[in-house]
Amino acid sequence: MSDVRFTHIGGPTVLIEFGGWRLLTDPTFDAPGRTYAFGWGTSSRKLTGPALPASTLGGVDAVLLTHDHHGDNLDHAGRALLAGATTTITTASGARRLGGATRALKAGQATRLEAPGRPTIEIAATPCRHGPPLSRPITGEVIGFALTWPGQAHGPLWITGDTVYHRALRRAAARIRPGTVLLHLGGVGFPLTGPLRYTMTARQAVRLCEAIAPRTILPIHYEGWQHFRQDRDGIERDLLHAPKQISDLFHWLPTGSAEHVRI
């Protein structure tokens, strides 16, 4: 059984440590107050800064970047951090934009992280749809990550990425059978597009988790930005109406301090 340390830095940014590895998801380290354009007339203001500054992180072996083209997943300070990471893994289009030794993955493809004295990690890209049907030309390419390594007792670690609930996501999750899920929530919406949502709501998350029955659900990316339509209070209100065997799986990571989870 693997003992994994998760440090939630804010938004989608989590430091994951185990077996000598230090992995970082979607680095966002800018101070609050800026407004970021997301294209097609949409934008959002950052309301909360990181719980830890990038300068305190130390070395990072790999950045798992679900997408590079939205400021709430890769901001200016996060982009600067990429140069110091050993490896960055992201979408095919993101790898072209970032250049260098960035590894490109499309949904269904996989790569490995290997180092002497450490467990080999297989990283498979999972499908995301960052909005309603047919929205990909507008919202761009996004992936999630399923991480598998020796010694996992309860199945892979899955980072969903920014996505709504959809059929390809459910099918991929059923194949992976993750034990632990870093679940991007928040029900992102914009005044320009009315009721349309661009990330999962709690109700969608319950449907997904009912289908795959993970052991632990760690919600992230639901706070700190103006475009979130469902914060922790809203998520917890919806969980009151969810089956208890699902709502009991949700565990809220503290920000800025490490939490140990057995995987």
Side-chain angles (χ1 to χ4, degrees):
M1 184 179 294
S2 296
D3 185 24
V4 180
R5 284 166 44 105
F6 293 92
T7 304
H8 188 198
I9 295 167
T13 309
V14 180
L15 180 65
I16 304 169
E17 300 173 276
F18 65 92
W21 290 105
R22 305 183 85 244
L23 314 178
L24 187 69
T25 66
D26 288 358
T28 54
F29 289 93
D30 283 358
R34 294 188 60 164
T35 296
Y36 299 73
F38 293 150
W40 295 79
T42 61
S43 64
S44 182
R45 185 162 53 90
K46 188 171 187 180
L47 305 175
T48 306
L52 299 172
S55 60
T56 66
L57 282 190
V60 172
D61 296 301
V63 172
L64 305 178
L65 180 59
T66 65
H67 57 304
D68 70 307
H69 54 281
H70 291 156
D72 62 326
N73 295 85
L74 182 67
D75 58 19
H76 299 288
R79 195 174 292 270
L81 179 144
L82 297 182
T86 304
T87 303
T88 297
I89 303 171
T90 192
T91 62
S93 57
R96 288 194 296 270
R97 286 187 289 265
L98 294 170
T102 305
R103 299 192 202 180
L105 289 180
K106 294 183 178 181
Q109 296 179 336
T111 188
R112 287 186 173 183
L113 294 178
E114 297 177 298
R118 301 180 190 177
T120 296
I121 309 172
E122 179 166 326
I123 302 175
T126 60
C128 293
R129 197 183 79 204
H130 197 359
L134 307 179
S135 63
R136 179 172 169 175
I138 298 172
T139 59
E141 185 183 13
V142 184
I143 54 174
F145 300 100
L147 279 61
T148 307
W149 63 85
Q152 291 174 323
H154 304 291
L157 166 64
W158 182 30
I159 304 159
T160 65
D162 283 6
T163 183
V164 295
Y165 178 80
H166 63 290
R167 186 178 302 171
L169 183 76
R170 185 182 68 243
R171 286 200 301 259
R175 287 194 301 270
I176 297 163
R177 285 291 172 189
T180 301
V181 182
L182 276 173
L183 185 64
H184 289 220
L185 288 174
V188 163
F190 302 96
L192 183 68
T193 53
L196 297 179
R197 294 291 172 261
Y198 295 86
T199 58
M200 271 190 281
T201 63
R203 291 182 183 181
Q204 289 183 328
V206 168
R207 288 179 64 193
L208 175 66
C209 293
E210 282 180 320
I212 60 174
R215 184 172 184 264
T216 306
I217 302 165
L218 306 173
I220 59 172
H221 208 23
Y222 55 84
E223 39 64 48
W225 287 80
Q226 190 179 34
H227 61 334
F228 287 118
R229 296 294 179 262
Q230 192 175 48
D231 60 9
R232 176 172 173 173
D233 288 343
I235 294 167
E236 290 184 324
R237 281 195 298 271
D238 276 358
L239 291 179
L240 291 174
H241 305 287
K244 194 171 187 301
Q245 66 267 28
I246 297 298
S247 60
D248 283 353
L249 302 179
F250 280 71
H251 177 76
W252 301 92
L253 291 170
T255 53
S257 59
E259 183 91 352
H260 291 257
V261 177
R262 292 194 176 275
I263 291 182

